[in-house]
């Protein structure tokens, strides 16, 4: 299980990320664009994945990482059950979400550094 505070710490470790409130929950942003949100009481998070990464992560385990219902899921918003996700998978999915939203130069530098 990934504790909500560990998720927060992980999200804030990315370059230029800030935390802001989003409808009563923490959101993590780069250049004002959200790449992740956290629902601490539910022990879930939501990540923004691009059309290439979505099917890869959604195929891993539909009880652990799956599209948000409705139109948001069709846009790539992906729910993560923090009680079930493995840390390695969460790191890879969060890396993908960060690079999906980050400006091209920042994403390219990040990819080169990992």
């Amino acid at each position: 299980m990934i504790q909500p505070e560990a998720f927060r710490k992980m999200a804030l470790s990315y370059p230029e990320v800030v935390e802001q409130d989003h409808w009563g929950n923490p959101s993590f942003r780069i250049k004002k664009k959200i790449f992740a949100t956290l629902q601490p009481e539910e022990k879930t998070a939501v990540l923004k994945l691009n059309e290439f990464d979505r099917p890869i992560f959604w195929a891993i385990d539909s009880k652990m990482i799956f599209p948000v219902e409705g139109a948001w899921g069709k846009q790539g918003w992906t729910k993560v059950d923090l009680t079930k996700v493995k840390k390695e998978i969460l790191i890879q999915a969060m890396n993908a979400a960060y690079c999906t939203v980050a400006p091209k130069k920042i994403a390219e530098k990040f990819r080169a550094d990992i």
Side-chain angles (χ1 to χ4, degrees):
M1 177 173 151
I2 307 294
Q3 295 294 332
E5 193 53 42
F7 180 92
R8 172 181 275 114
K9 187 175 181 179
M10 197 182 305
L12 290 171
S13 72
Y14 289 87
E16 300 188 41
V17 168
V18 296
E19 180 179 341
Q20 290 184 326
D21 181 75
H22 183 71
W23 301 102
N25 288 309
S27 70
F28 303 93
R29 303 165 188 241
I30 171 114
K31 304 290 183 189
K32 299 183 181 180
K33 293 185 177 180
I34 297 174
F35 76 95
T37 63
L38 175 62
Q39 296 72 41
E41 296 81 27
E42 297 174 23
K43 295 186 174 59
T44 62
V46 176
L47 302 173
K48 171 68 169 161
L49 297 177
N50 65 38
E51 58 196 34
F52 174 77
D53 293 321
R54 285 177 220 162
I56 295 167
F57 288 103
W58 294 350
I60 293 171
D61 182 341
S62 65
K63 292 183 175 108
M64 175 176 58
I65 187 165
F66 49 92
V68 171
E69 289 185 22
W72 290 106
K74 291 177 184 172
Q75 294 175 29
W77 293 101
T78 300
K79 190 166 260 196
V80 180
D81 185 334
L82 298 177
T83 67
K84 296 177 182 171
V85 71
K86 293 181 173 96
K87 185 176 181 180
E88 302 79 29
I89 293 170
L90 178 59
I91 290 168
Q92 293 301 314
M94 197 178 296
N95 287 349
Y98 175 80
C99 289
T100 293
V101 173
K104 187 176 179 182
K105 285 184 180 181
I106 294 172
E108 286 174 353
K109 181 173 181 348
F110 174 77
R111 284 188 193 106
D113 290 345
I114 58 171

